[in-house]
Amino acid sequence: MIDPRTSDFLAEYLASANGDPATLDRFLLYGPDHGSRSIRPRLKIAFFDFWPEFDPSTNFFVEILSSRFDLSVVENDCDLAIVSVFGTRHREARTARSLFFTGENVRPPLDGVDMSVSFDRIDDPRHFRLPLYVMHAWEHRREGATPHFCHPVLPPVPPTREEAAKRKFCAFLYKNPNCARRNDFFQRLCARRHVESVGWLLNNTGSVVKMGWLPKIRVFSRYRFAFAFENASYPGYLTEKILDAFQAGAVPLYWGDPGVLRDVAAGSFIDMSHYSSDEEAIDAILAVDDDYDTYRRYRSTAPFLGTEDFYFDAYRLAEWIESRL
């Protein structure tokens, strides 16, 4: 459920005709008490076994915790070790507390850490659910792909009929070949209406999009639809893929989390699980593509507002971490 503090602030912000997105960013990232602390306790944190591109000095955890603590990032001998799944260096950690984090389809080891953060829907006081798309909204802002962390929360601006017509049909951008469901649906849809594969996998354009969120979102912005199939289907496993399409102004074609409607509003994307067969799903996609008014309704629906769950109020995670230290 959405935090009442967030709900009240969002309602007031969205009712305002000239709300500043930077103000909403500050609230979602730092909370209603930002700047009110005269003294911030010291906290030393270290990161272990994150992905190779991860920057320990500038990341989502540093951002949200810096408003509550006099924070320093060290290599070891820390108050809090934040560990992930890309290695075993965490076994050498010298720390008072440990926090496990993953966006991968991996179960958190609750009995081996003091707290855990993942996409899983686990009813346990040691666990905090944070779908990966929330962290990626922060990464999108940091890389300049979108201007604000709150961008996916803001009501979308649908394209005009002329703007929609200028976009191509659909984009497919993947490197991982290990999802037969995704690959097969690409082939089936492409047989009915040409889909451009702009990544390494099944490429049919002769060029490959560069790595990074900014190039991906820029490319997706040229299409009316974009594939947002996960690598696997698992309850709660909802990554950045659907967010990337929304950020680009494309309608996501989604497959993955069977409970996706708890996070994402119906009518903002095309849910493959809604259809009894791929042919039925393809018929529905093409019908939306052929009817501007229907397409516009999809593009006019705010994907992360009015849903059962809301996770962009990142300050709640910072509060939870502080409560368990």
Side-chain angles (χ1 to χ4, degrees), residues 307-324:
T307 55
E308 180 179 353
D309 293 327
F310 183 89
Y311 296 98
F312 283 97
D313 44 2
Y315 71 88
R316 287 196 300 121
L317 172 59
E319 287 179 344
W320 181 80
I321 292 173
E322 183 177 27
S323 74
R324 298 195 62 82

Side-chain angles (χ1 to χ4, degrees), residues 220-289:
F220 274 8
S221 69
R222 303 171 191 166
Y223 297 85
R224 294 186 292 275
F225 300 87
F227 269 69
F229 279 47
E230 306 288 7
N231 294 334
S233 178
Y234 189 88
Y237 181 49
L238 186 57
T239 71
E240 80 287 352
K241 294 176 177 61
I242 197 167
L243 174 73
D244 294 340
F246 284 133
Q247 299 281 54
V251 172
L253 309 181
Y254 184 78
W255 172 84
D257 176 13
V260 61
L261 290 178
R262 292 183 62 173
D263 287 71
V264 189
S268 64
F269 67 105
I270 296 180
D271 185 0
M272 297 298 108
S273 65
H274 179 73
Y275 301 97
S276 60
S277 69
D278 284 352
E279 287 307 309
E280 184 182 350
I282 291 170
D283 287 343
I285 293 166
L286 299 186
V288 174
D289 192 41

Side-chain angles (χ1 to χ4, degrees), residues 163-183:
E163 289 168 342
K166 288 179 181 178
R167 290 187 172 212
K168 299 178 183 180
F169 170 50
C170 184
F172 178 94
L173 176 54
Y174 291 93
K175 188 175 182 179
N176 182 350
N178 298 317
C179 180
R181 176 77 178 87
R182 183 167 62 204
N183 300 343

Side-chain angles (χ1 to χ4, degrees), residues 12-24 154:
E12 182 178 347
Y13 178 87
L14 295 173
S16 172
N18 54 354
D20 181 2
T23 302
L24 183 55
L154 301 177

